[in-house]
Amino acid sequence: MGQGQGSSSGGAAEAGAGQQDKSDVWLPPGSFRVDPSKPHRKASNSCDRIREDMVKCYENSKCYKAGAPFEECLSSNDPEYVTSDCIWLRKGYAQCRRDLLNRNRIWQRGNRAA
């Protein structure tokens, strides 16, 4: 009889725990709950600024103004056809994207695209 009582009280505790799990979403240690009244912030370094500068640079280049497709201008390494600033911005954007994927590099060398 003692065993039957223990199992019934354990079942009630498990049922209560199941209800608590449904109302509270599990968060990894060190995480905070998101306040639904506040909009989400995007990452401070999402490479958007350098991407916008790169696109503007390529749109103002001789290559793009001559009617070449944007992809052709983007793949050109000729500083006469596409300015050297555009080439450096393209390389900086590629490095920024790499740094987003490999966060260890930022801890070692610092964030370049900010």
Side-chain angles (χ1 to χ4, degrees):
M1 218 170 170
Q3 291 176 349
Q5 291 174 353
S7 64
S8 65
S9 65
E14 290 173 9
Q19 291 172 354
Q20 184 181 11
D21 289 341
K22 290 178 184 174
S23 63
D24 291 337
V25 177
W26 179 83
L27 293 172
S31 297
F32 297 105
R33 300 211 178 281
V34 177
D35 186 1
S37 65
K38 295 180 182 173
H40 293 306
R41 294 184 296 166
K42 64 180 182 177
S44 61
N45 181 16
S46 60
C47 303
D48 285 341
R49 289 187 302 172
I50 193 167
R51 181 180 177 273
E52 290 170 5
D53 291 345
M54 180 188 70
V55 169
K56 285 179 190 173
C57 184
Y58 276 103
E59 286 175 347
N60 294 328
S61 69
K62 284 185 199 177
C63 173
Y64 191 74
K65 288 181 178 179
F70 190 79
E71 289 79 17
E72 181 182 326
C73 297
L74 197 60
S75 63
S76 174
N77 286 323
D78 183 12
E80 298 297 321
Y81 198 44
V82 177
T83 64
S84 60
D85 290 339
C86 295
I87 294 170
W88 281 111
L89 283 169
R90 183 184 72 213
K91 290 180 180 182
Y93 178 67
Q95 188 62 53
C96 179
R97 297 288 296 176
R98 264 185 238 114
D99 287 345
L100 286 178
L101 295 174
N102 184 6
R103 300 302 292 176
N104 284 337
R105 184 182 185 116
I106 290 175
W107 298 118
Q108 295 166 356
R109 300 188 182 131
N111 192 351
R112 300 177 208 178

